Amino acid sequence: MKRRVLFVCTANSARSLMAEALLRHMAGDRFEVASAGTEPTEPHPMALQVLQESGIDVEGLHSKKLEDLRDENWDYVITLCEKASRECGTVCEPAQQIAWDFPDPVATGRHATFALSLKELKDRIGLFTLVHEKETGLRSPEYNPAIIFRALGDELRLAIVMLVRDQKKLCVYELTTALDSSQPKVSRHLANLKEVGLLETERQGQWSFYFLNPQMPRWLMKVLDETSDSNTSLVEREMERLKVMNDRPVVREV
């Protein structure tokens, strides 16, 4: 059965439309895809142009209201800007919410900017389809060391992984409190860690809990263990913030 993906940005004129066309072109046999905007306008001519120049079909591509699609059943809702991520909130639950943040090419109106946005979206969608092949029963993620260490090279992402390793399961609310960071920013980093196969998620009631991917190879688990054991102060402040939280969600063991 195809997974259903909804891309969302503000105007649904460029980024989300290009993402819709790209995913349909790259993996339409595995994903059913649509896009929408919180304040939709019309498809930007330059977005359609760079798609056509790349040999991607734009027939039927049009801007749509999020309100018209929010009650459908989606497996993934992917926001492409921080504004859309804030405005979406808990839209389309229980779909998995993923936050990507791409600059709006409409702001410049330049062909080169639209072409760059298309390339960057293609790279991110290619990684998304690769990692999520395991969820459609095709194959497990490939743990390329270069990709893994690039993901862990960010201090916030490394802190997230160390906290989840220590606490076993954490939700976004707990992580934003521990990291003293905004929900959209933490969600973007969680999405990246999930894409590369470091984290998995499960839903319990209103909460989605993140935990280390049990499919991780032994060498990677050893790296995480030794990183934590040899750097005990790495997330010391973050752990203290977790300890003083008095309204943490209760994790139900399943």
Side-chain angles (χ1 to χ4, degrees), residues 49-62:
Q49 181 180 336
V50 295
L51 284 167
Q52 290 174 315
E53 290 172 350
S54 298
I56 299 172
D57 186 17
V58 299
E59 184 177 356
L61 208 58
H62 64 285

Side-chain angles (χ1 to χ4, degrees), residues 50 52 63 80 85 109 143 191 201 211 213 217-218 226 230 241:
V50 295
Q52 290 174 315
S63 302
L80 296 171
S85 180
Y143 288 91
T201 184
F211 54 95
N213 191 334
R218 184 180 300 178
E226 291 190 358
S230 302
R241 293 189 188 111

